[in-house]
Amino acid sequence: MPIFKLSPLTHFLSLAGAVLIGGLTFWSTAAAAAGGAYYRAELASPAPEARFVARDVVWACKGTSCIASQGNSRPLIMCSSLAKAAGPVASFVAGGKALEAAELARCNGQG
């Protein structure tokens, strides 16, 4: 016999919370799977490997085009780590915003 009994409202709220958390988890996973790449880069020459890790982010490249999910660092730092791992970066977009020419030069160690 249980020591305490949950009220119907408490039982409902715990069930609703579980459904909400499950739904949010599914939604975020589905969004990532449906082209949820946060970083998009174009390299000056083809990537040396199709998949590699730079700054704790897994990059997937096909030819000179590379994509990755969001990391914890600023876009310029992510770009620099990509340049060190794969070579000069011709363009870099983070969250839909492209790096400007001066930032891109710094990314490639030219500024």
Side-chain angles (χ1 to χ4, degrees):
M1 180 171 208
I3 297 173
F4 61 90
K5 186 175 180 180
L6 296 177
S7 71
L9 178 61
T10 305
H11 182 68
F12 171 77
L13 290 177
S14 63
L15 180 60
V19 169
L20 178 65
I21 290 171
L24 289 175
T25 302
F26 174 76
W27 178 76
S28 63
T29 303
Y38 186 79
Y39 302 113
R40 296 184 184 279
E42 197 67 34
L43 302 175
S45 58
E49 298 177 56
R51 293 180 68 84
F52 57 90
V53 176
R55 192 82 183 178
D56 297 327
V57 173
V58 177
W59 286 90
C61 299
K62 187 172 187 179
T64 58
S65 299
C66 298
I67 59 171
S69 59
Q70 187 172 6
N72 294 324
S73 298
R74 292 179 293 127
L76 183 58
I77 293 173
M78 296 304 292
C79 182
S80 295
S81 67
L82 174 62
K84 287 177 187 171
V89 177
S91 69
F92 190 87
V93 177
K97 185 175 185 240
L99 289 184
E100 295 180 10
E103 293 174 309
L104 200 56
R106 287 180 60 201
C107 163
N108 288 309
Q110 300 169 352

